[in-house]
């Protein structure tokens, strides 16, 4: 039977192509186990989709398979912790967001649940509570922040840095402000990642207490790109009361946990409808989804936003509810969500 020491020695010859060092020396071989003539090597990677996965696997199989007494080699993948990944591959600082204190991504597993509505109104709620706030529309497939905030201007550049537009006290950037707003963008994974990287690196966000990031639906490349570029980004998860929406949100929560992100809270949107202020609430989309998810995951439910005609009208007309009707029930809920975000963050400092 081959000895573990011999296997590890053979693995010294397998180099990480980017770092130029042996996988053993940089700690990427997290385990070697031997049973008879079968050897199992555990390789730690940043993600299952790492482009190096098949290359390194075949190099390991070759190096270990050539040893006498080895009949089969199995390479198992383990995902590195965020700390390990940062130690090995430190990110160059993103210039544009150097002076941003906190990042808050608004996400959901599902489309159309109100992420952008929540992102815009929570950003305004934080601004009303005295914070300096930026809003990045990271929905590169269907940027809707410009429409919701009634922004029609395009972005300017100074010394190679993009300047955010200021409206309603927010600094705003969206790809919808760089091209025709009806353009449908079709980006591939690596391009998405580069594009979002640029929106953080090459936009002069300046000093901000919060940069709120409106993510596209789902667990696709943009969410992963933001998680990788901003490992300390907090996540606000939007759901609706329906059971079908919950399944997608659970999947999305799983992804953010896997990438080491902290989900700061849940927001249940379109929770109920009040035909008149004193009427019984009508629960059009069912009941209790947010609460159920909160109990299941331990993530606090920060608010239940009612269905309000003015909220939709505000979105369509470019004047968000926090501006057009700050005393409305939904606006009060947004204000309360903002207050809790500040409280949670103050407690975690
Ligand atoms: N609580 C609400 N009451 C009334 N209308 C709402 C409410 N929340 C969202 N809407 C409306 O529902 C539509 C979808 O909302 P929004 O664009 O915020 O969802 P989204 O999750 O960002 O969608 P996408 O997945 O396409 O990015 C919009 O027309 C918005 O104005
Ligand atoms: Mg949206």
């Amino acid at each position: 039977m081959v000895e573990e020491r011999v296997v590890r020695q053979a693995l010294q010859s397998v180099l990480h192509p980017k770092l130029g060092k042996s996988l053993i020396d940089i700690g990427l071989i997290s385990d070697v186990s031997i049973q008879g003539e079968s050897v199992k090597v555990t390789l730690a990677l940043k993600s299952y989709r790492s482009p190096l996965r098949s290359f390194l696997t075949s190099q390991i199989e070759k190096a270990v398979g050539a040893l006498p007494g080895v009949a089969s080699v199995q390479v198992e993948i383990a995902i590195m912790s965020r700390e390990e990944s940062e130690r090995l591959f430190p990110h160059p600082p993103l210039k544009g967001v150097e002076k941003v204190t906190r990042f808050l991504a608004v996400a959901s597993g599902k489309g159309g649940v109100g992420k952008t509505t929540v992102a815009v109104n929570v950003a305004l709620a934080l601004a009303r509570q005295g914070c300096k706030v930026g809003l990045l529309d990271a929905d590169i497939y269907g940027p809707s922040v410009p429409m919701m905030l009634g922004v029609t201007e395009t972005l300017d550049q100074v010394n190679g840095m993009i300047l955010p537009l200021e409206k309603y006290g927010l600094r705003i950037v969206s790809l919808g402000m760089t091209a025709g707003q009806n353009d449908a963008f079709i980006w591939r994974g690596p391009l998405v990642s580069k594009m979002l990287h640029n929106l953080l690196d090459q936009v002069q966000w300046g000093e901000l207490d919060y940069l709120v990031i409106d993510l596209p639906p789902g667990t696709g490349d943009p969410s992963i790109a933001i998680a990788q570029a901003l490992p300390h980004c907090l996540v606000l998860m939007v759901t609706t009361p329906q059971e079908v929406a919950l399944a997608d949100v659970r999947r999305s929560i799983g992804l953010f946990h896997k990438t080491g992100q902290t989900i700061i809270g849940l927001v249940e949107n379109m929770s109920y409808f009040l035909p008149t202020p004193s009427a019984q609430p009508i629960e059009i989309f069912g009941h209790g989804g947010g609460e159920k998810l909160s109990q299941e995951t331990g993530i606090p439910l920060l608010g239940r936003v009612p269905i309000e005609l003015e909220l939709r009208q505000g979105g369509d007309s470019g004047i968000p509810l926090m501006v057009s009707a700050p005393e409305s029930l939904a606006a009060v809920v947004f204000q309360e969500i903002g207050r809790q975000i500040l409280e949670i963050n103050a407690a975690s400092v």
Side-chain angles (χ1 to χ4, degrees):
M1 195 165 88
V2 66
E3 281 178 48
E4 181 175 335
R5 179 184 53 83
V6 177
V7 173
R8 287 187 177 271
Q9 218 162 35
L11 286 171
Q12 283 288 358
S13 66
V14 182
L15 303 184
H16 190 286
K18 275 194 198 151
L19 302 175
K21 289 185 188 161
S22 126
L23 297 186
I24 289 275
D25 290 344
I26 51 181
L28 290 192
I29 302 297
S30 50
D31 191 43
V32 171
S33 71
I34 301 160
Q35 254 182 359
E37 297 198 326
S38 307
V39 179
K40 193 167 87 187
V41 176
T42 307
L43 168 67
L45 289 176
K46 270 205 273 192
S47 87
Y48 288 109
R49 294 164 58 181
S50 165
L52 293 177
R53 180 176 175 169
S54 63
F55 172 76
L56 290 177
T57 301
S58 74
Q59 294 292 100
I60 292 170
E61 283 168 352
K62 232 193 263 168
V64 180
L67 294 171
V70 176
S72 74
V73 185
Q74 190 196 342
V75 179
E76 218 173 67
I77 305 296
I79 301 301
M80 292 179 208
S81 69
R82 195 168 75 194
E83 288 73 22
E84 280 170 328
S85 162
E86 275 177 16
R87 178 180 60 78
L88 284 172
F89 310 97
H91 288 287
L94 293 161
K95 212 163 19 111
V97 292
E98 264 171 5
K99 295 184 190 146
V100 176
T101 309
R102 286 188 197 278
F103 300 90
L104 178 68
V106 179
S108 174
K110 205 167 177 277
V113 297
K115 288 174 298 301
T116 306
T117 304
V118 170
V120 162
N121 286 288
V122 166
L124 287 164
L126 289 168
R128 269 176 69 111
Q129 291 178 41
C131 297
K132 281 192 206 130
V133 185
L135 179 61
L136 168 61
D137 183 357
D139 191 344
I140 49 183
Y141 305 110
S144 50
V145 165
M147 193 191 78
M148 283 210 188
L149 289 173
V151 177
T152 48
E153 301 94 321
T154 49
L155 297 163
D156 282 332
Q157 282 197 27
V158 168
N159 300 330
M161 293 293 279
I162 298 165
L163 298 179
L165 262 159
E166 297 243 7
K167 190 149 184 189
Y168 303 126
L170 303 177
R171 286 180 210 158
I172 310 155
V173 167
S174 163
L175 277 188
M177 300 172 177
T178 58
Q181 293 194 14
N182 296 321
D183 285 5
F185 292 101
I186 301 175
W187 303 100
R188 285 179 295 112
L191 273 182
V192 167
S193 170
K194 179 107 184 65
M195 184 64 61
L196 289 173
H197 186 274
N198 289 352
L199 289 174
L200 296 166
D201 190 44
Q202 289 167 26
V203 171
Q204 201 167 313
W205 288 104
E207 225 168 87
L208 289 180
D209 297 305
Y210 282 92
L211 179 59
V212 176
I213 302 171
D214 179 27
L215 286 178
T219 49
D221 295 312
S223 304
I224 294 169
I226 289 286
Q228 283 175 345
L230 301 172
H232 303 297
C233 182
L234 305 167
V235 180
L236 189 62
M237 196 57 84
V238 182
T239 182
T240 57
Q242 288 151 291
E243 193 58 44
V244 280
L246 294 184
D248 293 309
V249 176
R250 282 191 193 101
R251 198 166 320 123
S252 188
I253 290 176
L255 168 94
F256 286 110
H257 278 159
K258 215 185 246 171
T259 51
Q261 249 59 8
T262 304
I263 302 173
I264 191 171
L266 302 170
V267 173
E268 187 187 84
N269 188 30
M270 309 191 196
S271 291
Y272 55 91
F273 178 67
L274 275 187
T276 60
S278 55
Q280 275 289 101
I282 304 171
E283 293 178 318
I284 296 175
F285 293 120
H287 174 80
E291 244 164 55
K292 188 171 167 193
L293 204 59
S294 172
Q295 277 167 8
E296 205 180 289
T297 57
I299 302 167
L301 177 62
L302 302 187
R304 297 177 71 222
V305 183
I307 297 173
E308 253 178 49
L309 188 61
E310 274 182 322
L311 202 49
R312 212 240 338 118
Q313 283 168 338
D316 290 349
S317 66
I319 308 171
L321 190 81
M322 284 299 298
V323 176
S324 65
E327 310 308 330
S328 65
L329 184 54
V332 171
V333 175
F334 285 126
Q335 201 63 36
E336 179 58 17
I337 294 170
R339 192 192 59 73
Q340 289 179 77
I341 292 172
L342 293 181
E343 209 175 83
I344 295 172
N345 281 334
S348 67
V349 170

